[in-house]
Amino acid sequence: MSVDLNEAFADERATQLRAARDWERALQDRLAAGAVERLPDGRYRVLTGWDAGEILSAQGVPQHGLDLSLGTAALYTAVPAWHTLGNVIPGGTSDIGKVLELDGIDCQVESVPAQYPWNDETRVDATMHHTVRTDTGASLGVVRNGYEIIQNRRAFEFLQELANDDEAIWESAGALRGGKKVFVAMRLPQRVTVDADGINDRIIPFVVAINSHDGSSSFQVVATPWRPVCGNTERLAGGARVHPVEHPAHPQGHDRIKEARRTLDLSIKYYDRLADEETALARTDLAINEYDALINSLWEPDDTATPRSIRTREARRDRLHALLADETERTGRTAYAAERAVTDYLDHYAPIRPSATSGLKGNKPAARGLRLLEGTDDDMESATHRRLMALRQR
């Protein structure tokens, strides 16, 4: 049977155009229904459902940045979010072995000598090694001699004691950048409320353990609150959010339990202090000139700025004022609203240009997620919190 290639191409193209029009209509319907909003850079943010807060491309396509080395997204989650990717266990599980298996990060990482071609031979750099996944053979990074590999299971296993003893649940886990960075997020059982007698803003407390295999960062455990009302997940400002781990590589028996309890105690103390400080901010009125002073302290004016830089600065100020107006409707014109506005700007609106070396070039939503995971904006968020807390003394 002969096939008219021109006719086949025309049919395929027509099918693609119909699918594109259907997708566009569905996106417009979601916009009209208030399920998504258009962002200034042409992308979209989901406002309702399990995916609330997630970012879509200008074409309305989800972008995630998850590791796809094994053919599926390296993700476990307790709720069907992340654009329905990964393996979902409704309600979650407290079994770290199951989590590591489902999210595809229960693989080993080994160190092999770094080699390079020279003329017709292959030479070995005695000072450097590659970290390599044993399941795919992919190189994860180049590190110096003496670099200690912390296997994913070892890195996260000590936190299993929290799940066993305190009814904490593994909320999500996954791998980014081909497995160079992996994480597990645990939802703690206690409740945290800001200004219970006023705005009554709820915070869901998480502890996130982060491991890397490319030498870019050490193993760490981070307190990461989530505010479901405003959709911000944060490595929050204001103090000891990173808990140094004493026995990450070889926690065994009593040491593992001791380290888990220490991590939990630090997290509980952090969230207790966080609730007190955020409540204080929620009860601190804010004048517009004080908000402008905050913006200028975070992004200092430049007397030698070019016209383009001036326009960028004005656009940032207008966006920050619009975000403050939105927060003011919900929580009043307070220092708390100002902190939420700045955080929202850093999370969703601040310019970002993913580099080719990050492995996320052209994927801004994934790059934003990685910035949050790695705490790129920690210093600015901490400075915001400190300056707003100082307003209580005026």
Side-chain angles (χ1 to χ4, degrees):
M1 177 180 178
S2 62
V3 177
D4 186 325
L5 295 181
N6 289 326
E7 183 178 343
F9 175 80
D11 289 344
E12 181 179 351
R13 182 61 175 163
T15 300
Q16 291 173 344
L17 289 173
R18 283 195 298 272
R21 285 195 295 268
D22 290 344
W23 180 264
E24 177 64 23
R25 280 195 295 269
L27 182 60
Q28 293 304 317
D29 289 344
R30 296 179 74 189
L31 277 170
V36 299
E37 66 174 345
R38 186 178 174 87
L39 300 178
D41 61 2
R43 296 175 301 131
Y44 299 89
R45 175 164 53 183
V46 181
L47 300 176
T48 62
W50 291 112
D51 285 348
E54 295 189 37
I55 305 297
L56 309 179
S57 73
Q59 291 74 41
V61 177
Q63 295 180 294
H64 52 79
L66 293 165
D67 174 33
L68 298 172
S69 299
L70 301 180
T72 58
L75 176 72
Y76 148 83
T77 180
V79 295
W82 291 73
H83 319 297
T84 68
L85 295 170
N87 294 289
V88 180
I89 295 183
T93 179
S94 59
D95 182 353
I96 187 59
K98 191 69 173 176
V99 169
L100 293 172
E101 174 189 342
L102 289 175
D103 67 9
I105 62 175
D106 195 16
C107 60
Q108 294 291 109
V109 176
E110 293 183 355
S111 175
V112 299
Q115 300 181 350
Y116 61 96
W118 182 256
N119 294 329
D120 295 328
E121 62 179 340
T122 298
R123 294 188 176 183
V124 175
D125 183 347
T127 67
M128 306 296 290
H129 279 71
H130 283 272
T131 52
V132 177
R133 288 179 59 158
T134 59
D135 58 345
T136 65
S139 173
L140 301 177
V142 179
V143 298
R144 292 192 175 277
N145 282 356
Y147 177 81
E148 182 181 15
I149 296 174
I150 302 176
Q151 303 297 341
N152 293 334
R153 178 173 287 273
R154 286 292 190 192
F156 303 138
E157 202 169 40
F158 82 101
L159 285 176
Q160 180 69 55
E161 303 299 334
L162 300 189
N164 289 340
D165 293 348
D166 291 273
E167 299 179 357
I169 294 295
W170 295 109
E171 182 75 7
S172 62
L176 299 169
R177 297 164 59 192
K180 294 180 180 180
K181 184 149 317 251
V182 296
F183 67 92
V184 294
M186 173 179 283
R187 184 173 73 248
L188 298 181
Q190 70 260 41
R191 297 176 180 270
V192 180
T193 304
V194 174
D195 192 17
D197 297 327
I199 61 173
N200 195 33
D201 214 6
R202 185 166 59 101
I203 295 175
I204 299 178
F206 289 90
V207 169
V208 180
I210 305 165
N211 193 26
S212 70
H213 295 297
D214 60 357
S216 61
S217 62
S218 60
F219 174 71
Q220 58 186 225
V221 180
V222 186
T224 308
W226 180 50
R227 288 178 168 83
V229 172
C230 54
N232 281 336
T233 303
E234 307 160 38
R235 288 177 44 133
L236 258 207
R241 55 195 176 279
V242 178
H243 310 316
V245 177
E246 294 173 355
H247 308 287
H250 308 287
Q252 297 290 341
H254 178 72
D255 283 342
R256 189 173 72 182
I257 296 173
K258 180 180 178 182
E259 188 60 37
R261 302 309 308 178
R262 189 181 77 92
T263 299
L264 179 61
D265 289 343
L266 285 171
S267 298
I268 290 174
K269 289 176 182 177
Y270 170 79
Y271 281 112
D272 286 345
R273 189 177 76 248
L274 170 67
D276 291 341
E277 292 186 359
E278 297 292 282
T279 296
L281 293 181
R283 296 175 181 177
T284 301
D285 293 334
L286 182 80
I288 287 297
N289 67 320
E290 291 173 321
Y291 188 56
D292 284 330
L294 171 66
I295 294 173
N296 288 335
S297 70
L298 296 172
W299 294 276
E300 295 183 3
D302 183 1
D303 294 335
T304 64
T306 64
R308 181 179 180 181
S309 297
I310 292 173
R311 289 194 298 272
T312 298
R313 182 177 183 80
E314 290 175 347
R316 178 174 57 234
R317 182 196 60 207
D318 291 345
R319 172 55 55 184
L320 284 162
H321 274 275
L323 293 171
L324 177 64
D326 290 342
E327 281 297 328
T328 296
E329 289 184 10
R330 189 174 68 87
T331 62
R333 184 174 292 169
T334 63
Y336 183 77
E339 185 176 58
R340 303 278 56 75
V342 171
T343 299
D344 199 15
Y345 177 80
L346 293 172
D347 280 357
H348 302 295
Y349 297 94
I352 182 171
R353 295 179 178 84
S355 66
T357 56
S358 71
L360 299 173
K361 186 176 182 180
N363 192 341
K364 291 184 179 181
R368 287 188 188 278
L370 189 61
R371 283 171 65 88
L372 178 62
L373 193 65
E374 295 181 334
T376 303
D377 296 318
D378 278 6
D379 289 344
M380 187 165 284
E381 292 187 7
S382 295
T384 299
H385 186 81
R386 288 194 305 270
R387 285 164 181 147
L388 290 172
M389 287 293 290
L391 293 180
R392 298 177 306 157
Q393 310 302 324
R394 69 185 188 276

